[in-house]
Amino acid sequence: MDAAFFRFLGPELAGVLTGVRFDTVFSPAPGCWTFVFSPPVALDGDSPSDCRFLLAHAHSRSGILSLSAVKPVNPAQPPTMAMWLRKRLRGRRVVCGLTDWRRKRLALELTPGEGRFLLLCMDESPNIVDSLPDDFDAAPGWRSVAEALDDPACPRSLRRALEREDPLDRDVFLETFLEGRASGFFLGESGSSQDGPLPWPAGRESQRYSNALHAAHAYAQTAFFAALTPPEEPPQRAKARVKKRMALLDQDQRRLDGLIQQHLYGETVAANLSLLDKRAKLGPMLLEHPEKGQLTVPLDPALTVLENMERFFRKAAKGRRGQVHVERLRREAEEGGVPPRRGQAQPAEPAKATPKQRAKTQSVALHRFRSSDGFVILRGKNSAANHRLLSEMASPFDFWLHAEGGPGAHVILKRDNPGQDVPERSLREAAVLAGLSSWRANDAKANVLVAAASEVRKMKGAALGQVRLDSAKTLLVDLDPGLEGRLRLPS
């Protein structure tokens, strides 16, 4: 995120966050932070007040700071720094904010507690400090365009913008910027620029936003969630890691083969049990196996004959269980599915549901399915379940589906984050499940509405399950009655 854009974003963030209370802190990936606050705020006066999360990504070039209505998926175990921040932020309100835009830093003053300011910097991890430098929010002392261009601290984007301007217009351009006025905020149509939004056109094709909060939000919806995905590993290094993984699995296989071999010892002892004292503690013995002939059985003299026999069978069973596990890991390694290298960012895992959350989910009358591509699909069994499915269990970026033109079940296809792609096959499978539980169930085909859950509005005063749509598309699907049985999850 560029410092010139931060000149406008910092004050806007400070304004909307003043008065909110911090509830908790998460770290969905290294260098990425989610601050949860209440009450929710809006990006502007015309937007709904649904932003409850402040997303921060510390990176020297592509740092991100944005409000969001969507919470990223968090790991089951929070890192130490997240716990440290939680302890010092929980329950404290924001009194006001100060911006040091040249260094891309925002300081939020907090109600009394340990540390006075939450310091958010685009180059470093968030911190809680007792005081700020005297020149924290000082304006640059540029008296002319020449001084700005000669200052190494002048943001690169501002320098380029000044150089593009007609020399006669540069003084006015710089004065307008320093006074905090902009004609809009712009993000390249591709959204891939590392600089992120800028307070002037980012290129020939730029999307214009009315305020900095909207521009930062649009950028973060792609860039922040992309930062949660681990970088791809060079093919040669990945190949070497697969080779090393296979060698370790071969070593494990040899160890397991030794355990499985002990089944023969157990059989040998069992075949000769009538000739031996079961309670005797004996050392290694030469015994006759019914098929293999004579075997030297390594009896442990610390155990009885019967205990030795049971131990041989237990170890053999353990070896067989381990062999199944090793075979699965070998298949995964052959397909490139090896554990992440040390220090590599890992995809965030969904947090485990608490017993209270599980009980709440199980209390909703739902059919549960898993698509061919692994996406969870939920379908309400009645109008009350339809209402709770949309109100309590759907994230804004999930897909909602419903048969067009008549009554039917609500269907939710779950996604982990707004940037996650859903294959067409999974979307069509969810549409078929919606059609099979609707007024079109006995037809060969059905039109099914598909929309983001955030585009589905519950109607005040209407019957449970009745909604209105802000926008949707229609899928025409073939209704395959056998699909329910193939995709249904055990209850």
Side-chain angles (χ1 to χ4, degrees):
M1 188 169 284
D2 187 79
F5 175 71
F6 205 84
R7 163 73 182 85
F8 301 89
L9 177 64
E12 287 189 21
L13 274 174
V16 298
L17 292 176
T18 296
V20 305
R21 182 189 70 243
F22 285 111
D23 298 325
T24 189
V25 182
F26 299 103
S27 179
C32 296
W33 303 90
T34 305
F35 296 86
V36 186
F37 58 83
S38 56
V41 300
L43 296 175
D44 60 34
D46 298 327
S47 301
S49 297
D50 56 0
C51 293
R52 297 183 52 243
F53 310 102
L54 177 63
L55 308 182
H57 174 45
H59 192 279
S60 59
R61 177 73 186 275
S62 55
I64 299 167
L65 193 62
S66 171
L67 297 173
S68 176
V70 177
K71 182 177 76 171
V73 178
N74 297 300
Q77 297 298 325
T80 303
M81 188 61 185
M83 298 296 291
W84 187 88
L85 288 168
R86 284 182 192 179
K87 180 180 178 181
R88 288 156 180 80
L89 281 180
R90 183 171 287 153
R92 299 177 70 182
R93 293 186 178 275
V94 177
V95 177
C96 64
L98 298 172
T99 302
D100 179 9
W101 64 266
R102 290 175 298 167
R103 299 178 182 86
K104 298 184 286 187
R105 297 189 295 182
L106 173 66
L108 299 175
E109 186 175 357
L110 306 168
T111 49
E114 186 175 345
R116 183 180 173 187
F117 298 94
L118 169 62
L119 185 60
L120 301 169
C121 179
M122 293 295 88
D123 299 336
E124 301 171 1
S125 295
N127 198 7
I128 296 177
V129 298
D130 294 315
S131 60
L132 302 173
D134 293 336
D135 63 344
F136 181 84
D137 57 347
W142 302 327
R143 291 170 295 182
S144 66
V145 172
E147 287 188 9
L149 294 175
D150 289 340
D151 185 356
C154 178
R156 181 178 59 256
S157 66
L158 177 59
R159 187 187 307 276
R160 290 200 300 259
L162 286 170
E163 290 171 346
R164 284 197 302 266
E165 285 291 311
D166 186 287
L168 297 177
D169 298 329
R170 290 178 180 176
D171 289 326
V172 175
F173 184 94
L174 180 61
E175 181 181 355
T176 300
F177 169 78
L178 293 176
E179 289 177 352
R181 292 183 285 121
S183 60
F185 300 92
F186 302 85
L187 184 62
E189 289 289 354
S190 65
S192 60
S193 170
Q194 283 190 322
D195 287 336
L198 293 171
W200 38 74
R204 291 183 178 179
E205 296 182 355
S206 298
Q207 177 69 42
R208 181 184 180 278
Y209 297 89
S210 58
N211 65 13
L213 291 177
H214 266 295
H217 178 268
Y219 177 60
Q221 291 306 293
T222 299
F224 186 86
F225 288 97
L228 305 183
T229 304
E232 291 187 5
E233 192 173 22
Q236 287 300 113
R237 184 175 298 177
K239 185 177 180 180
R241 291 180 62 240
V242 170
K243 183 178 180 180
K244 181 178 180 180
R245 180 65 170 168
M246 296 297 281
L248 291 173
L249 291 174
D250 289 341
Q251 182 179 331
D252 286 342
Q253 184 62 58
R254 289 191 293 271
R255 178 178 61 82
L256 293 172
D257 288 342
L259 291 177
I260 295 172
Q261 178 69 23
Q262 299 205 25
H263 187 82
L264 282 176
Y265 298 144
E267 289 180 336
T268 304
V269 175
N272 294 271
L273 202 57
S274 61
L275 304 176
L276 300 170
D277 182 356
K278 300 181 181 63
R279 298 182 180 180
K281 295 184 177 181
L282 307 173
M285 295 184 66
L286 186 65
L287 298 174
E288 188 79 18
H289 186 277
E291 298 177 359
K292 303 292 183 181
Q294 289 188 334
L295 291 177
T296 300
V297 180
L299 297 174
D300 184 349
L303 304 174
T304 67
V305 170
L306 190 60
E307 288 170 341
N308 269 287
M309 181 187 72
E310 292 172 345
R311 183 172 67 97
F312 289 141
F313 285 133
R314 281 199 308 272
K315 286 192 172 183
K318 181 179 179 181
R320 287 191 292 271
R321 292 194 301 271
Q323 191 173 45
V324 173
H325 183 61
V326 166
E327 288 173 355
R328 177 179 60 81
L329 293 177
R330 191 183 300 279
R331 287 194 301 271
E332 292 178 358
E334 289 171 350
E335 296 170 359
V338 294
R341 62 188 182 277
R342 184 173 299 177
Q344 179 184 6
Q346 302 183 43
E349 297 179 358
K352 294 182 179 178
T354 64
K356 184 176 180 181
Q357 290 170 329
R358 286 195 295 269
K360 180 179 179 181
T361 300
Q362 291 168 358
S363 68
V364 183
L366 298 175
H367 293 294
R368 294 169 173 82
F369 306 90
R370 189 179 301 280
S371 78
S372 300
D373 303 295
F375 289 84
V376 172
I377 301 171
L378 305 175
R379 186 177 71 190
K381 292 183 179 180
N382 51 49
S383 58
N386 288 338
H387 176 77
R388 293 186 63 185
L389 180 60
L390 186 59
S391 303
E392 302 174 14
M393 303 181 67
S395 297
F397 47 80
D398 292 339
F399 284 120
W400 171 92
L401 303 98
H402 190 279
E404 187 177 43
H410 289 231
V411 172
I412 293 293
L413 186 149
K414 300 292 294 179
R415 291 201 294 168
D416 292 334
N417 61 68
Q420 186 177 26
D421 291 328
V422 176
E424 181 74 12
R425 175 174 59 176
S426 288
L427 203 58
R428 286 191 166 274
E429 287 174 347
V432 172
L433 294 173
L436 289 173
S437 186
S438 74
W439 68 288
R440 301 291 301 273
N442 296 322
D443 295 344
K445 298 178 180 290
N447 285 318
V448 177
L449 296 169
V450 182
S454 59
E455 300 293 322
V456 185
R457 310 290 180 184
K458 297 177 287 295
M459 298 171 64
K460 186 176 292 186
L464 288 178
Q466 289 192 4
V467 298
R468 64 178 177 84
L469 302 178
D470 291 343
S471 65
K473 69 176 184 178
T474 301
L475 284 179
L476 177 62
V477 293
D478 296 321
L479 298 185
D480 174 11
L483 186 69
E484 290 180 318
R486 295 196 298 272
L487 301 185
R488 191 184 301 276
L489 290 172
S491 56

